[in-house]
Amino acid sequence: MPTALESKHTSVGLTLALSLALAVGLSLAPVPEALRPIPSLGRGPVGPQLLALVTTSSASRKSVGVEPDADTHSPEVPELPDEEPEEAVAVVEPPSPEAGGTPAGPTDPGAPVDPRGLAGLSGPMLASALKLEALGEKMGARQVDVDLGCRRMGPQGCEEHGLAPFFEALRALHEGRRTTPVRVEHLGDSLIASDHITDVVRERLQARHGSGGKGFLYVDRPTRSGRGVRAGVASPGWEFIRVIDRAPPRDRLPFSGVAFAAGVSSVQEVRFAVEDARTAEIFFLAQPGGGSLQLLADGKPLQRVQMRWTPAEVASARVKLPEGLQTLTLKTRGKVELHGVSLENGQPGVVYDTLGLPGAYAGVFLRAHAPYFRAQMRQRKPALVVLMFGGNEAFRLSRDWTKPEEIREEARELVRRVRESVPDAACLVWSPIDAAVRTLGGELVPRRGSRAVADIFHEVAREGGCAYWDALTAMGDEGSAIQWLSAGMLNADLIHPRAKGSDLLGHLFDLALQRAFAASAPPRVALVDPPGLRDADRALSTTFTRMLALEKGEPTRLGILQLGASHTASHYFTDTLRGALSQRLGDAGRGFVAAGRASERLTPSGVSRELTGEWTVEDALETTPTGQAWGLSGVRAVGAPGAEWRIRFCEGCASAVTPMARLSLYWLDGPGAGRLDVKVDGAAISPEPPPPEPFTTPTVRVRSFPVPGPAHLLSVTNAGGGPVTVLGAALDLERPGVTYDAVGLPGATAATVAAMEPQALAAQLSSRKPQLLVFWYGTNESALPALDAATLRADYGALIARLKHDAGGAECLVLGTTDRQQQRAEGTWEETPSLGTVVTALPEVAREQGCAYWSARAAMGGERAMLRWQKEGLGHADGTHLTPEGYQRLAGLLLADLQSAYEAFKQNPPPALASEGR
């Protein structure tokens, strides 16, 4: 009779199998992609004397003092197949965030803790991770959390855990505060010599946090077996010495544990596939009588590095690589000793170096020359150093070739050397994994010593301020190697996992790191910044009704007026919206254009302005006191006698008699104002009759002229008597369609508009008669250091209510701020101080005023989106504005959401419309 535990496992297995069948079926079915569960130079101590100098200019490998095996008591790393036949393993897709399951991932530091560590993975990588999860459950593997340890103790206890520097570096990547790679140095034994285990961890970290490139590569494989993915393609004559050799020269070996040498009389070369790398850093020994290294870019001479120096000292040369390069070749001349090459792409992402040697243990890496180890480790500037040993210690202990005290002292010294070399880096110690031995009777039993070494390493990690991960327990504890062997996941040597087993170990370690990272994120209030167009069905019903009527060919008009700051004033965003809406619903004219100087930004919409004579262009931000009369954009042009302002609409358009149009002039009249001489297309217009009573204060005047067609020139000349103040002009076609007025003032906030003289704004809004007001403020508010949310909500809300009333009951749409970043003195980026306040308050303002709401920041991608848009050429270098292409992209995103809401409206129209059959 099955036990309760067996029944539970059977149930889980059936559930997994059924889930896999469903997931695979849906993924292969002809359904939309969204419904598929599995979607488709010089550096270093030598100094500037070793700067690279620019010039134009198969036998068996020989080993120096190397025995056939790295350690006569330790086997070489086996060559594992890259692909292994696998059993069908059930995969369960994690629940979506919307369903209340696993959160989106560590890219949101304020997200809930990821219980499994799968956050940030997607597509094939997620599918692979889920298969490994199921495999781990089948094999009895366990999710073991990292023991973070304590780097620094204080009066109140631990003040900094062992992985704090690494996690802070990762967070700095996401927050744009870091412009250099986050490097990991993973030192280990044969388990990682062929980049098994570490390949999974590297791929996952780079998927979550960005890739900084391949990282450190050997010249050639340090052994005769295993994969060569972390090495170049070398000529056969290189000689090498290794820390794992029986009697290596301890005054020569580098931190990587291997030195590759070319003699005076031989010419050797090594070739590296560059891929996306933009820099190559070459690590070498500068020595008396040293030769040189010629660098070839796709076979063409690129640079030469000189390697002569007295006394001998490790050095490095950083070389910039040409864009599009495929292959980098290094060719020796004279005596040369290379230690490796690092290839990086120059991006702030993760670089994960694998430094693994068969037969290595902690004491072996102590054979590296201490000054060289320190200098080269510091040159790498790692954020994390992983020490992965223990298997060979346990092997030696099981044979009584060493004692626990010797293991402890060697491990302590290696941790001490790492901490002293890179004191700002985090460190993490692995335990050994399980292994088995076969008795004289042929029985398989767990190898003695694995748990004892694991306990020693745990103690050493705790004493040294390092984190610790118990890989032995994660594998399934002592005895698990026997089960892995029977499942084809362990080699016949009973020590080394095969590729599938290595992948599982890498998977378990990655998830442990991810869970620790997510759990250690500092608490923060998540910004309420939902994507999409909100409340459109309620707030934009009249707008949608007019759109529907225009689509039906009915004689109506949709007037839109957008108020805002520089995003609106640039015209790129509004030109895109106007063009798309007019093409679909009809063009009812360019609409209102503010007075001002000539601007190329008006050219795409066929408008040009010109000021001649003495003019002063004033705006509501630069002029005090408040309460003055301004144009809708917060700008006015004041001209002295004889000054002329000209504006041309539809410049370059073909002459047309129809349709009829209305050309309107907006100006300020009042005490001391000069007389206007107005011309339309060169023809003088009779003067405006004086008002019944003289104006005692500046008052908005609007005069319209009937004209044929869209192409016209309006000129205004000050005929004397005082200054004239022009606010703007408009061209409206007398036919069905859309007008889209864009009135923006760079640097403005909602408070800027609220401080303008209200009657002047009301008069202009009444003349324009918009059916929809679009408000786009918040970007400049986000830069204010002490913005009060309650004041913002009250004042912005009052402004919206007043302008809606002045426009005759227009509907309203509030656009949320774009993402905005400001640059620190050291060049990194951070959010503007009140961005969170604005993002949280604006949806509330829109809801309270009955407006629809659309978050530009969410459409851009949310947190730190501006930095991503900058990389794509869509965000301006100032962290505030967008490029023309960026504004066009953003407008397209709004149009898509507007279209979606409009189509939903047509499917479910209000009862009145439905009864009319519209």
Side-chain angles (χ1 to χ4, degrees), residues 9-41:
H9 284 173
T10 301
S11 174
V12 170
L14 288 171
T15 302
L16 290 172
L18 290 172
S19 299
L20 174 61
L22 178 61
V24 172
L26 283 175
S27 298
L28 295 175
V31 297
E33 187 69 17
L35 300 180
R36 300 178 188 267
I38 307 175
S40 17
L41 148 80

PDB file of all heavy atoms in Angstrom, residues 9-41:
ATOM      1  N   HIS A   9       3.461  12.207  -4.155  1.00  0.00           N
ATOM      2  CA  HIS A   9       4.375  12.318  -5.293  1.00  0.00           C
ATOM      3  C   HIS A   9       3.701  11.829  -6.568  1.00  0.00           C
ATOM      4  O   HIS A   9       3.887  12.384  -7.646  1.00  0.00           O
ATOM      5  CB  HIS A   9       5.647  11.509  -5.026  1.00  0.00           C
ATOM      6  CG  HIS A   9       6.568  12.187  -4.057  1.00  0.00           C
ATOM      7  ND1 HIS A   9       7.700  11.587  -3.555  1.00  0.00           N
ATOM      8  CD2 HIS A   9       6.518  13.410  -3.504  1.00  0.00           C
ATOM      9  CE1 HIS A   9       8.323  12.401  -2.718  1.00  0.00           C
ATOM     10  NE2 HIS A   9       7.615  13.517  -2.673  1.00  0.00           N
ATOM     11  N   THR A  10       2.881  10.756  -6.434  1.00  0.00           N
ATOM     12  CA  THR A  10       2.163  10.261  -7.606  1.00  0.00           C
ATOM     13  C   THR A  10       1.200  11.308  -8.140  1.00  0.00           C
ATOM     14  O   THR A  10       1.119  11.564  -9.340  1.00  0.00           O
ATOM     15  CB  THR A  10       1.406   8.981  -7.244  1.00  0.00           C
ATOM     16  OG1 THR A  10       2.328   8.009  -6.786  1.00  0.00           O
ATOM     17  CG2 THR A  10       0.640   8.449  -8.455  1.00  0.00           C
ATOM     18  N   SER A  11       0.509  11.958  -7.201  1.00  0.00           N
ATOM     19  CA  SER A  11      -0.439  12.998  -7.595  1.00  0.00           C
ATOM     20  C   SER A  11       0.261  14.158  -8.264  1.00  0.00           C
ATOM     21  O   SER A  11      -0.174  14.665  -9.301  1.00  0.00           O
ATOM     22  CB  SER A  11      -1.206  13.487  -6.366  1.00  0.00           C
ATOM     23  OG  SER A  11      -2.030  14.570  -6.691  1.00  0.00           O
ATOM     24  N   VAL A  12       1.373  14.560  -7.670  1.00  0.00           N
ATOM     25  CA  VAL A  12       2.135  15.661  -8.264  1.00  0.00           C
ATOM     26  C   VAL A  12       2.643  15.290  -9.643  1.00  0.00           C
ATOM     27  O   VAL A  12       2.599  16.068 -10.595  1.00  0.00           O
ATOM     28  CB  VAL A  12       3.298  16.060  -7.334  1.00  0.00           C
ATOM     29  CG1 VAL A  12       4.230  17.034  -8.048  1.00  0.00           C
ATOM     30  CG2 VAL A  12       2.757  16.681  -6.061  1.00  0.00           C
ATOM     31  N   GLY A  13       3.107  14.040  -9.765  1.00  0.00           N
ATOM     32  CA  GLY A  13       3.615  13.610 -11.060  1.00  0.00           C
ATOM     33  C   GLY A  13       2.555  13.613 -12.126  1.00  0.00           C
ATOM     34  O   GLY A  13       2.777  14.024 -13.270  1.00  0.00           O
ATOM     35  N   LEU A  14       1.323  13.127 -11.765  1.00  0.00           N
ATOM     36  CA  LEU A  14       0.235  13.150 -12.732  1.00  0.00           C
ATOM     37  C   LEU A  14      -0.122  14.571 -13.133  1.00  0.00           C
ATOM     38  O   LEU A  14      -0.351  14.879 -14.309  1.00  0.00           O
ATOM     39  CB  LEU A  14      -0.986  12.444 -12.139  1.00  0.00           C
ATOM     40  CG  LEU A  14      -0.877  10.904 -12.027  1.00  0.00           C
ATOM     41  CD1 LEU A  14      -2.056  10.364 -11.238  1.00  0.00           C
ATOM     42  CD2 LEU A  14      -0.787  10.265 -13.402  1.00  0.00           C
ATOM     43  N   THR A  15      -0.149  15.455 -12.139  1.00  0.00           N
ATOM     44  CA  THR A  15      -0.466  16.864 -12.421  1.00  0.00           C
ATOM     45  C   THR A  15       0.567  17.484 -13.347  1.00  0.00           C
ATOM     46  O   THR A  15       0.246  18.185 -14.301  1.00  0.00           O
ATOM     47  CB  THR A  15      -0.540  17.650 -11.114  1.00  0.00           C
ATOM     48  OG1 THR A  15      -1.532  17.066 -10.280  1.00  0.00           O
ATOM     49  CG2 THR A  15      -0.883  19.111 -11.380  1.00  0.00           C
ATOM     50  N   LEU A  16       1.838  17.177 -13.066  1.00  0.00           N
ATOM     51  CA  LEU A  16       2.911  17.700 -13.915  1.00  0.00           C
ATOM     52  C   LEU A  16       2.771  17.179 -15.339  1.00  0.00           C
ATOM     53  O   LEU A  16       2.912  17.917 -16.315  1.00  0.00           O
ATOM     54  CB  LEU A  16       4.272  17.308 -13.345  1.00  0.00           C
ATOM     55  CG  LEU A  16       4.689  17.980 -12.047  1.00  0.00           C
ATOM     56  CD1 LEU A  16       5.965  17.346 -11.523  1.00  0.00           C
ATOM     57  CD2 LEU A  16       4.884  19.464 -12.260  1.00  0.00           C
ATOM     58  N   ALA A  17       2.491  15.898 -15.476  1.00  0.00           N
ATOM     59  CA  ALA A  17       2.381  15.313 -16.812  1.00  0.00           C
ATOM     60  C   ALA A  17       1.232  15.917 -17.594  1.00  0.00           C
ATOM     61  O   ALA A  17       1.361  16.260 -18.774  1.00  0.00           O
ATOM     62  CB  ALA A  17       2.210  13.796 -16.692  1.00  0.00           C
ATOM     63  N   LEU A  18       0.060  16.033 -16.934  1.00  0.00           N
ATOM     64  CA  LEU A  18      -1.082  16.634 -17.609  1.00  0.00           C
ATOM     65  C   LEU A  18      -0.814  18.080 -17.988  1.00  0.00           C
ATOM     66  O   LEU A  18      -1.193  18.544 -19.062  1.00  0.00           O
ATOM     67  CB  LEU A  18      -2.314  16.534 -16.709  1.00  0.00           C
ATOM     68  CG  LEU A  18      -2.879  15.111 -16.526  1.00  0.00           C
ATOM     69  CD1 LEU A  18      -3.969  15.126 -15.465  1.00  0.00           C
ATOM     70  CD2 LEU A  18      -3.419  14.556 -17.837  1.00  0.00           C
ATOM     71  N   SER A  19      -0.140  18.804 -17.074  1.00  0.00           N
ATOM     72  CA  SER A  19       0.181  20.212 -17.361  1.00  0.00           C
ATOM     73  C   SER A  19       1.115  20.328 -18.538  1.00  0.00           C
ATOM     74  O   SER A  19       0.982  21.212 -19.382  1.00  0.00           O
ATOM     75  CB  SER A  19       0.801  20.872 -16.122  1.00  0.00           C
ATOM     76  OG  SER A  19      -0.104  20.850 -15.052  1.00  0.00           O
ATOM     77  N   LEU A  20       2.104  19.419 -18.606  1.00  0.00           N
ATOM     78  CA  LEU A  20       3.030  19.439 -19.736  1.00  0.00           C
ATOM     79  C   LEU A  20       2.296  19.192 -21.044  1.00  0.00           C
ATOM     80  O   LEU A  20       2.503  19.869 -22.046  1.00  0.00           O
ATOM     81  CB  LEU A  20       4.118  18.391 -19.541  1.00  0.00           C
ATOM     82  CG  LEU A  20       5.081  18.210 -20.734  1.00  0.00           C
ATOM     83  CD1 LEU A  20       5.820  19.513 -20.997  1.00  0.00           C
ATOM     84  CD2 LEU A  20       6.030  17.074 -20.484  1.00  0.00           C
ATOM     85  N   ALA A  21       1.420  18.183 -21.025  1.00  0.00           N
ATOM     86  CA  ALA A  21       0.687  17.882 -22.245  1.00  0.00           C
ATOM     87  C   ALA A  21      -0.120  19.081 -22.716  1.00  0.00           C
ATOM     88  O   ALA A  21      -0.148  19.414 -23.900  1.00  0.00           O
ATOM     89  CB  ALA A  21      -0.239  16.680 -22.004  1.00  0.00           C
ATOM     90  N   LEU A  22      -0.793  19.741 -21.781  1.00  0.00           N
ATOM     91  CA  LEU A  22      -1.577  20.918 -22.135  1.00  0.00           C
ATOM     92  C   LEU A  22      -0.695  22.048 -22.635  1.00  0.00           C
ATOM     93  O   LEU A  22      -0.995  22.708 -23.634  1.00  0.00           O
ATOM     94  CB  LEU A  22      -2.383  21.382 -20.917  1.00  0.00           C
ATOM     95  CG  LEU A  22      -3.233  22.645 -21.120  1.00  0.00           C
ATOM     96  CD1 LEU A  22      -4.269  22.402 -22.218  1.00  0.00           C
ATOM     97  CD2 LEU A  22      -3.916  23.018 -19.820  1.00  0.00           C
ATOM     98  N   ALA A  23       0.445  22.286 -21.935  1.00  0.00           N
ATOM     99  CA  ALA A  23       1.348  23.380 -22.326  1.00  0.00           C
ATOM    100  C   ALA A  23       1.917  23.150 -23.713  1.00  0.00           C
ATOM    101  O   ALA A  23       1.951  24.044 -24.559  1.00  0.00           O
ATOM    102  CB  ALA A  23       2.473  23.524 -21.300  1.00  0.00           C
ATOM    103  N   VAL A  24       2.359  21.906 -23.980  1.00  0.00           N
ATOM    104  CA  VAL A  24       2.936  21.613 -25.288  1.00  0.00           C
ATOM    105  C   VAL A  24       1.862  21.698 -26.363  1.00  0.00           C
ATOM    106  O   VAL A  24       2.067  22.232 -27.452  1.00  0.00           O
ATOM    107  CB  VAL A  24       3.593  20.219 -25.274  1.00  0.00           C
ATOM    108  CG1 VAL A  24       4.019  19.813 -26.678  1.00  0.00           C
ATOM    109  CG2 VAL A  24       4.780  20.213 -24.328  1.00  0.00           C
ATOM    110  N   GLY A  25       0.666  21.183 -26.058  1.00  0.00           N
ATOM    111  CA  GLY A  25      -0.416  21.230 -27.045  1.00  0.00           C
ATOM    112  C   GLY A  25      -0.778  22.637 -27.438  1.00  0.00           C
ATOM    113  O   GLY A  25      -0.908  22.962 -28.615  1.00  0.00           O
ATOM    114  N   LEU A  26      -0.926  23.501 -26.436  1.00  0.00           N
ATOM    115  CA  LEU A  26      -1.284  24.892 -26.739  1.00  0.00           C
ATOM    116  C   LEU A  26      -0.155  25.590 -27.476  1.00  0.00           C
ATOM    117  O   LEU A  26      -0.394  26.452 -28.321  1.00  0.00           O
ATOM    118  CB  LEU A  26      -1.605  25.641 -25.442  1.00  0.00           C
ATOM    119  CG  LEU A  26      -2.979  25.353 -24.836  1.00  0.00           C
ATOM    120  CD1 LEU A  26      -3.110  26.059 -23.492  1.00  0.00           C
ATOM    121  CD2 LEU A  26      -4.097  25.794 -25.764  1.00  0.00           C
ATOM    122  N   SER A  27       1.099  25.261 -27.142  1.00  0.00           N
ATOM    123  CA  SER A  27       2.231  25.919 -27.784  1.00  0.00           C
ATOM    124  C   SER A  27       2.352  25.533 -29.244  1.00  0.00           C
ATOM    125  O   SER A  27       2.877  26.286 -30.055  1.00  0.00           O
ATOM    126  CB  SER A  27       3.516  25.571 -27.039  1.00  0.00           C
ATOM    127  OG  SER A  27       3.457  26.042 -25.719  1.00  0.00           O
ATOM    128  N   LEU A  28       1.868  24.326 -29.597  1.00  0.00           N
ATOM    129  CA  LEU A  28       1.930  23.889 -30.992  1.00  0.00           C
ATOM    130  C   LEU A  28       0.676  24.235 -31.772  1.00  0.00           C
ATOM    131  O   LEU A  28       0.661  24.189 -32.993  1.00  0.00           O
ATOM    132  CB  LEU A  28       2.148  22.365 -31.045  1.00  0.00           C
ATOM    133  CG  LEU A  28       3.491  21.877 -30.474  1.00  0.00           C
ATOM    134  CD1 LEU A  28       3.528  20.360 -30.479  1.00  0.00           C
ATOM    135  CD2 LEU A  28       4.658  22.452 -31.252  1.00  0.00           C
ATOM    136  N   ALA A  29      -0.386  24.562 -31.069  1.00  0.00           N
ATOM    137  CA  ALA A  29      -1.658  24.840 -31.727  1.00  0.00           C
ATOM    138  C   ALA A  29      -1.627  26.178 -32.446  1.00  0.00           C
ATOM    139  O   ALA A  29      -0.853  27.061 -32.102  1.00  0.00           O
ATOM    140  CB  ALA A  29      -2.784  24.838 -30.699  1.00  0.00           C
ATOM    141  N   PRO A  30      -2.492  26.376 -33.455  1.00  0.00           N
ATOM    142  CA  PRO A  30      -2.555  27.663 -34.185  1.00  0.00           C
ATOM    143  C   PRO A  30      -3.326  28.698 -33.396  1.00  0.00           C
ATOM    144  O   PRO A  30      -4.421  29.099 -33.756  1.00  0.00           O
ATOM    145  CB  PRO A  30      -3.267  27.276 -35.487  1.00  0.00           C
ATOM    146  CG  PRO A  30      -4.140  26.118 -35.103  1.00  0.00           C
ATOM    147  CD  PRO A  30      -3.377  25.338 -34.067  1.00  0.00           C
ATOM    148  N   VAL A  31      -2.752  29.108 -32.274  1.00  0.00           N
ATOM    149  CA  VAL A  31      -3.381  30.120 -31.439  1.00  0.00           C
ATOM    150  C   VAL A  31      -2.453  31.319 -31.386  1.00  0.00           C
ATOM    151  O   VAL A  31      -1.269  31.222 -31.684  1.00  0.00           O
ATOM    152  CB  VAL A  31      -3.639  29.585 -30.007  1.00  0.00           C
ATOM    153  CG1 VAL A  31      -4.605  28.422 -30.062  1.00  0.00           C
ATOM    154  CG2 VAL A  31      -2.337  29.182 -29.332  1.00  0.00           C
ATOM    155  N   PRO A  32      -2.955  32.506 -31.005  1.00  0.00           N
ATOM    156  CA  PRO A  32      -2.086  33.690 -30.909  1.00  0.00           C
ATOM    157  C   PRO A  32      -0.904  33.457 -29.984  1.00  0.00           C
ATOM    158  O   PRO A  32      -0.995  32.719 -29.009  1.00  0.00           O
ATOM    159  CB  PRO A  32      -3.037  34.765 -30.341  1.00  0.00           C
ATOM    160  CG  PRO A  32      -4.390  34.309 -30.756  1.00  0.00           C
ATOM    161  CD  PRO A  32      -4.353  32.812 -30.713  1.00  0.00           C
ATOM    162  N   GLU A  33       0.212  34.116 -30.301  1.00  0.00           N
ATOM    163  CA  GLU A  33       1.443  33.931 -29.528  1.00  0.00           C
ATOM    164  C   GLU A  33       1.243  34.216 -28.052  1.00  0.00           C
ATOM    165  O   GLU A  33       1.813  33.558 -27.194  1.00  0.00           O
ATOM    166  CB  GLU A  33       2.543  34.855 -30.082  1.00  0.00           C
ATOM    167  CG  GLU A  33       3.927  34.642 -29.459  1.00  0.00           C
ATOM    168  CD  GLU A  33       4.559  33.317 -29.857  1.00  0.00           C
ATOM    169  OE1 GLU A  33       4.103  32.707 -30.843  1.00  0.00           O
ATOM    170  OE2 GLU A  33       5.491  32.896 -29.164  1.00  0.00           O
ATOM    171  N   ALA A  34       0.409  35.230 -27.749  1.00  0.00           N
ATOM    172  CA  ALA A  34       0.201  35.597 -26.353  1.00  0.00           C
ATOM    173  C   ALA A  34      -0.433  34.480 -25.549  1.00  0.00           C
ATOM    174  O   ALA A  34      -0.334  34.460 -24.326  1.00  0.00           O
ATOM    175  CB  ALA A  34      -0.674  36.854 -26.268  1.00  0.00           C
ATOM    176  N   LEU A  35      -1.089  33.518 -26.227  1.00  0.00           N
ATOM    177  CA  LEU A  35      -1.771  32.433 -25.524  1.00  0.00           C
ATOM    178  C   LEU A  35      -0.918  31.186 -25.418  1.00  0.00           C
ATOM    179  O   LEU A  35      -1.326  30.213 -24.794  1.00  0.00           O
ATOM    180  CB  LEU A  35      -3.086  32.083 -26.238  1.00  0.00           C
ATOM    181  CG  LEU A  35      -4.102  33.229 -26.337  1.00  0.00           C
ATOM    182  CD1 LEU A  35      -5.342  32.748 -27.071  1.00  0.00           C
ATOM    183  CD2 LEU A  35      -4.473  33.740 -24.952  1.00  0.00           C
ATOM    184  N   ARG A  36       0.283  31.188 -26.002  1.00  0.00           N
ATOM    185  CA  ARG A  36       1.120  29.999 -25.945  1.00  0.00           C
ATOM    186  C   ARG A  36       1.854  29.948 -24.602  1.00  0.00           C
ATOM    187  O   ARG A  36       2.518  30.899 -24.222  1.00  0.00           O
ATOM    188  CB  ARG A  36       2.153  30.006 -27.068  1.00  0.00           C
ATOM    189  CG  ARG A  36       1.524  30.028 -28.467  1.00  0.00           C
ATOM    190  CD  ARG A  36       2.593  30.072 -29.539  1.00  0.00           C
ATOM    191  NE  ARG A  36       2.008  30.284 -30.845  1.00  0.00           N
ATOM    192  CZ  ARG A  36       1.661  29.305 -31.673  1.00  0.00           C
ATOM    193  NH1 ARG A  36       1.868  28.058 -31.299  1.00  0.00           N
ATOM    194  NH2 ARG A  36       1.118  29.572 -32.847  1.00  0.00           N
ATOM    195  N   PRO A  37       1.782  28.832 -23.888  1.00  0.00           N
ATOM    196  CA  PRO A  37       2.475  28.754 -22.599  1.00  0.00           C
ATOM    197  C   PRO A  37       3.985  28.856 -22.742  1.00  0.00           C
ATOM    198  O   PRO A  37       4.650  29.349 -21.863  1.00  0.00           O
ATOM    199  CB  PRO A  37       2.040  27.373 -22.061  1.00  0.00           C
ATOM    200  CG  PRO A  37       0.776  27.040 -22.797  1.00  0.00           C
ATOM    201  CD  PRO A  37       0.928  27.655 -24.144  1.00  0.00           C
ATOM    202  N   ILE A  38       4.552  28.341 -23.846  1.00  0.00           N
ATOM    203  CA  ILE A  38       6.013  28.392 -24.030  1.00  0.00           C
ATOM    204  C   ILE A  38       6.310  29.185 -25.292  1.00  0.00           C
ATOM    205  O   ILE A  38       6.364  28.663 -26.396  1.00  0.00           O
ATOM    206  CB  ILE A  38       6.596  26.961 -24.134  1.00  0.00           C
ATOM    207  CG1 ILE A  38       6.149  26.112 -22.946  1.00  0.00           C
ATOM    208  CG2 ILE A  38       8.110  27.006 -24.203  1.00  0.00           C
ATOM    209  CD1 ILE A  38       6.580  24.664 -23.023  1.00  0.00           C
ATOM    210  N   PRO A  39       6.482  30.531 -25.284  1.00  0.00           N
ATOM    211  CA  PRO A  39       6.729  31.378 -26.444  1.00  0.00           C
ATOM    212  C   PRO A  39       8.161  31.251 -27.041  1.00  0.00           C
ATOM    213  O   PRO A  39       9.041  30.688 -26.405  1.00  0.00           O
ATOM    214  CB  PRO A  39       6.525  32.777 -25.884  1.00  0.00           C
ATOM    215  CG  PRO A  39       6.502  32.659 -24.422  1.00  0.00           C
ATOM    216  CD  PRO A  39       6.349  31.243 -24.037  1.00  0.00           C
ATOM    217  N   SER A  40       7.628  31.720 -28.329  1.00  0.00           N
ATOM    218  CA  SER A  40       8.861  31.586 -29.104  1.00  0.00           C
ATOM    219  C   SER A  40      10.148  32.535 -28.684  1.00  0.00           C
ATOM    220  O   SER A  40      10.073  33.316 -27.861  1.00  0.00           O
ATOM    221  CB  SER A  40       8.536  31.865 -30.555  1.00  0.00           C
ATOM    222  OG  SER A  40       7.396  32.488 -30.854  1.00  0.00           O
ATOM    223  N   LEU A  41      44.704  50.816 -23.844  1.00  0.00           N
ATOM    224  CA  LEU A  41      45.416  49.587 -23.436  1.00  0.00           C
ATOM    225  C   LEU A  41      45.928  49.842 -21.947  1.00  0.00           C
ATOM    226  O   LEU A  41      45.449  50.227 -21.512  1.00  0.00           O
ATOM    227  CB  LEU A  41      46.342  49.537 -24.302  1.00  0.00           C
ATOM    228  CG  LEU A  41      48.040  48.812 -23.900  1.00  0.00           C
ATOM    229  CD1 LEU A  41      48.108  47.635 -23.919  1.00  0.00           C
ATOM    230  CD2 LEU A  41      48.942  48.603 -24.460  1.00  0.00           C
TER     231      LEU A  41
END
